[in-house]
Amino acid sequence: MEGTVNGISFEDSGPRDGIPVVFIHGFPFDRTMWELQMKEAGKIRRALAYDVRGHGRSEAGDGQYSVELFVDDLVALLDHLRVDRAVLCGLSMGGYIALRAAERQPERLSGLVLCDTKSSPDTDEAKIKRAAAITAVKKYGVPKFAEEFIKAVLTENTLKTKPAIASSLLNSVLGNSPLGISGALLAMAARTDTTAALAKIAVPALILVGEHDKITPPSAAEAMLKALPKAEMHVIPGAAHMSNLENPAVFNEKLLAFLKQQRI
Ligand code: MLT
């Protein structure tokens, strides 16, 4: 079933009973990047995926985003669907949203899956890069930005041997407006540091990271592993930043084993 609440477009599948898993996509893609995981997770529990504001079929609005607003949208979606608690599964920007949601509303969390993400905020260098990206999107348009971005998130091997992954990601980015992309870049640049909150996350956490991820490298994942009280971590072989797409076999095996645990 598909629906829209508060301008946020979502997809809801799987059995109705039990605690759902909510998939939150990375920047600047949309919920279709979780298609394989929605299919597999939906066999064992309720699975939800949504388009973050400014992405996919969700409204772009005024483009004035913050991670706080993205968390408000997530909470409004959970409220609308009468979901008291969920397992949040976020990749990269989706992980930033999940981590801040865990810090703000720990009572809504039953488990956390952090994929190719980090708890630390942007460095000054990263903020300057975001500003340059906003200028470039405005000046040269989304297609040029998209082409370069996709090269940075996949391994050379994925680009060469699995062109369908790159073209599907490209389509997602091209579906987003310059306003939505710029707004998300500003939101990520202004996000808070969630590192101190990790020690207070009492629910089980799973950390997955592509072995060749250069944007949110395995070292960032290891830092979260050390700080989280109940976490396990797996490095996904042959993957860069889009570990769920580049090696779905290993990614899904780890994800499903985690979701099958009784306690979450
Ligand atoms: C993402 O994949 O969501 C972004 O690359 C995250 C970021 O730029 O920090």
Side-chain angles (χ1 to χ4, degrees):
M1 170 199 121
E2 287 187 19
T4 302
V5 56
N6 190 30
I8 300 301
S9 172
F10 67 91
E11 201 178 316
D12 187 353
S13 68
R16 297 292 87 185
D17 57 329
I19 294 172
V21 54
V22 180
F23 291 100
I24 318 171
H25 63 79
F27 165 87
F29 305 116
D30 61 34
R31 67 177 191 254
T32 58
M33 63 160 270
W34 292 116
E35 205 176 323
L36 293 172
Q37 286 72 37
M38 281 290 283
K39 195 168 152 224
E40 291 307 311
K43 288 180 188 161
I44 57 164
R45 58 162 79 203
R46 187 173 177 190
L48 298 159
Y50 71 98
D51 291 330
V52 174
R53 190 172 292 278
H55 300 75
R57 293 190 214 165
S58 290
E59 281 174 8
D62 61 8
Q64 309 245 318
Y65 313 144
S66 60
V67 167
E68 299 311 304
L69 175 67
F70 292 157
V71 172
D72 292 344
D73 285 337
L74 168 62
V75 172
L77 177 67
L78 297 180
D79 288 347
H80 172 80
L81 296 171
R82 298 205 165 91
V83 170
D84 291 338
R85 295 172 77 218
V87 177
L88 298 180
C89 174
L91 186 137
S92 200
M93 177 182 74
Y96 306 156
I97 299 169
L99 280 165
R100 183 63 185 131
E103 185 176 21
R104 266 176 55 180
Q105 305 241 302
E107 72 285 358
R108 303 299 288 266
L109 204 68
S110 130
L112 192 57
V113 187
L114 298 168
C115 323
D116 301 280
T117 195
K118 58 187 175 190
S119 58
S120 54
D122 273 10
T123 58
D124 282 353
E125 193 191 349
K127 285 180 199 199
I128 291 165
K129 268 196 194 161
R130 304 257 194 228
I134 292 170
T135 306
V137 169
K138 285 187 184 152
K139 199 163 169 189
Y140 306 112
V142 174
K144 188 165 164 27
F145 171 79
E147 234 170 76
E148 281 166 21
F149 195 85
I150 280 158
K151 279 192 215 140
V153 297
L154 299 174
T155 64
E156 268 182 36
N157 189 47
T158 303
L159 286 164
K160 244 189 257 158
T161 61
K162 298 176 193 159
I165 295 180
S167 66
S168 131
L169 287 175
L170 187 66
N171 281 340
S172 299
V173 189
L174 296 179
N176 296 331
S177 63
L179 186 73
I181 291 177
S182 306
L185 283 164
L186 276 178
M188 287 190 289
R191 75 185 190 278
T192 56
D193 186 348
T194 50
T195 307
L198 295 174
K200 294 180 213 139
I201 296 178
V203 297
L206 170 68
I207 301 171
L208 301 174
V209 60
E211 68 170 322
H212 304 298
D213 189 344
K214 291 197 179 84
I215 298 175
T216 47
S219 56
E222 271 157 28
M224 292 193 295
L225 177 71
K226 279 192 196 133
L228 282 160
K230 281 190 223 163
E232 60 181 281
M233 171 177 156
H234 302 279
V235 175
I236 309 294
H241 192 54
M242 306 304 292
S243 57
N244 71 313
L245 293 169
E246 296 185 270
N247 192 343
V250 175
F251 185 99
N252 285 355
E253 179 200 319
K254 305 299 179 200
L255 174 67
L256 290 194
F258 182 74
L259 293 177
K260 278 180 187 160
Q261 292 174 39
Q262 293 300 321
R263 60 207 165 107
I264 58 163

